[in-house]
Amino acid sequence: MAIPKAELHIHIEGTLEPELAFHLAQRNNITLPYTDVEHLRSAYSFTDLQSFLDLYYRLMDVLRTPDDFHDLTTAYLQRAATQGVRHAEIFFDPQAHTNRGIPLDTVIQGITSALDAHHDISTDLILCFLRDRPAQEAMDTLHAARPHLHHITAVGLDSAEIGHPPTKFTEVFQAAADLGLRRVAHAGEEGPADYIWQALNHLDVERIDHGIRCLDDPTLLTHLATTQTPLTVCPLSNVRLRAVPTLADHPLPALMDAGLLVTVNSDDPSYFGGYVHDNYLALQHHLGLTNEDLRTLARNSFTASFLTPKRRDHLIAQVDAYVFP
Ligand code: ADE
Ligand code: ZN
């Protein structure tokens, strides 16, 4: 069994495996522009974040009914369990669905019915705003989510980063804070270190998603280490989207050496060639991380989570007691 861990950076729509995409397409009478699973999989070759997002949003067309979102979420939880995941904080992109006519109710009901039925993994939902859409649309989405806030722990910020700085969403994040929601944001994936500062100073986020570009700014690196602001790093994603040339070049060891609270996550595992434990193993294989490094990363994943201190400490004790095979 894989070491117990939390997954803090996972887009539920990014867990859509080609087989399930075809199954849902058939169920909903949709014709995908791919002949079969292998043909679709062959399209999973990306040059940057935008080239991935184009396919990611296109394939979401198969998600139409509560059952579709339920089945997607159930498939993720089953996979996650085999990867040692005990707690998952799951992103979803409401605007990617409401903008194509799928009601927010459908999305949230489908996802939460699967989360509630699965008892081995504790979960939180993080509602992400699409940063390449207008700020007013994000505000409208937050407003529309108000009847569902008992299902939602935090808000996040994702989609195409460059040209869409965090400050565009200062008012939306303030409104989310006023509603009692916690806050995270993608920053410094492709965008500059300054976007990380903006997310911290203007959106008041508790975690930075990706954040690898912090290495460009020594003052920021020191700040993140001092404040122990967690980074949710996604190594296989960074290589597939060419933010980093190869795994052997990945800055994760440098971030750990600088004293940051680093976690390892899968981002969009169906598209990037691995779920969360596959990311741990790839780091071990390509960067020589030791079993004790993996234990540190697993411990960090719970420390950086939104769990209550009681469950967090219970799960960290499981990490400490874990015996590697
Ligand atoms: N949405 C899904 N995956 C993403 C990523 N890696 N970066 C930004 N937005 C995303
Ligand atoms: Zn992401």
Side-chain angles (χ1 to χ4, degrees):
M1 185 59 178
I3 189 165
K5 59 177 71 65
E7 171 142 65
L8 307 178
H9 186 154
I10 174 84
H11 301 263
I12 197 65
E13 297 91 344
T15 69
L16 179 62
E17 291 285 341
E19 290 80 2
L20 184 58
F22 271 94
H23 176 71
L24 298 182
Q26 195 174 32
R27 190 156 88 186
N28 291 320
N29 284 316
I30 298 163
T31 306
L32 287 175
Y34 302 94
T35 47
D36 55 26
V37 165
E38 281 321 305
H39 184 210
L40 173 53
R41 224 181 264 286
S42 72
Y44 289 11
S45 169
F46 310 113
T47 50
D48 56 12
L49 175 57
Q50 187 62 56
S51 68
F52 154 70
L53 290 171
D54 291 343
L55 180 62
Y56 169 79
Y57 292 126
R58 203 175 328 130
L59 263 198
M60 283 183 204
D61 190 36
V62 303
L63 298 167
R64 301 258 173 120
T65 67
D67 277 354
D68 299 339
F69 287 93
H70 177 101
D71 292 352
L72 174 73
T73 306
T74 298
Y76 165 65
L77 291 169
Q78 285 170 350
R79 287 265 196 159
T82 70
Q83 301 261 319
V85 173
R86 300 288 202 281
H87 174 71
E89 300 187 358
I90 300 174
F91 296 135
F92 73 115
D93 286 333
Q95 289 156 277
H97 310 300
T98 54
N99 286 350
R100 57 187 178 86
I102 308 299
L104 186 59
D105 253 356
T106 296
V107 180
I108 293 182
Q109 192 201 316
I111 295 173
T112 57
S113 65
L115 299 181
D116 293 346
H118 200 97
H119 301 293
D120 298 338
I121 299 178
S122 53
T123 53
D124 284 290
L125 258 189
I126 302 178
L127 182 159
C128 283
F129 303 116
L130 301 186
R131 69 199 308 155
D132 49 355
R133 302 286 308 165
Q136 185 58 48
E137 193 177 290
M139 194 65 103
D140 294 345
T141 301
L142 180 64
H143 191 74
R146 288 182 72 152
H148 306 282
L149 289 188
H150 54 291
H151 289 303
I152 295 168
T153 301
V155 294
L157 187 64
D158 66 2
S159 203
E161 183 179 13
I162 292 173
H164 301 285
T167 49
K168 182 176 163 186
F169 296 93
T170 302
E171 284 165 28
V172 182
F173 272 62
Q174 181 60 56
D178 292 343
L179 290 169
L181 293 165
R182 306 184 75 162
R183 294 160 310 283
V184 300
H186 284 53
E189 177 185 15
E190 282 187 343
D194 183 53
Y195 283 15
I196 300 174
W197 279 121
Q198 288 186 25
L200 296 170
N201 294 333
H202 295 270
L203 306 188
D204 196 24
V205 299
E206 291 176 62
R207 290 197 301 249
I208 297 290
D209 297 313
H210 293 294
I212 54 175
R213 294 286 302 275
C214 70
L215 283 161
D216 298 341
D217 181 341
T219 310
L220 176 58
L221 200 61
T222 304
H223 176 80
L224 293 170
T226 306
T227 55
Q228 288 292 282
T229 304
L231 298 191
T232 63
V233 178
C234 306
L236 288 173
S237 164
N238 294 150
V239 174
R240 288 295 185 103
L241 301 187
R242 306 199 192 173
V244 171
T246 72
L247 267 181
D249 303 302
H250 199 279
L252 183 127
L255 296 168
M256 290 180 83
D257 288 347
L260 272 67
L261 185 60
V262 179
T263 68
V264 167
N265 307 271
S266 68
D267 206 6
D268 301 283
S270 143
Y271 293 90
F272 301 149
Y275 284 74
V276 62
H277 194 63
D278 304 321
N279 274 265
Y280 278 54
L281 293 179
L283 290 170
Q284 190 153 49
H285 186 73
H286 292 276
L287 285 164
L289 265 64
T290 64
N291 283 344
E292 290 314 306
D293 292 330
L294 299 195
R295 197 188 303 279
T296 298
L297 290 167
R299 222 184 269 124
N300 288 353
S301 72
F302 294 118
T303 304
S305 75
F306 294 139
L307 282 170
T308 60
K310 184 164 177 249
R311 181 156 168 81
R312 181 195 63 204
D313 293 348
H314 170 72
L315 290 167
I316 289 177
Q318 288 188 9
V319 174
D320 291 339
Y322 179 79
V323 179
F324 284 92

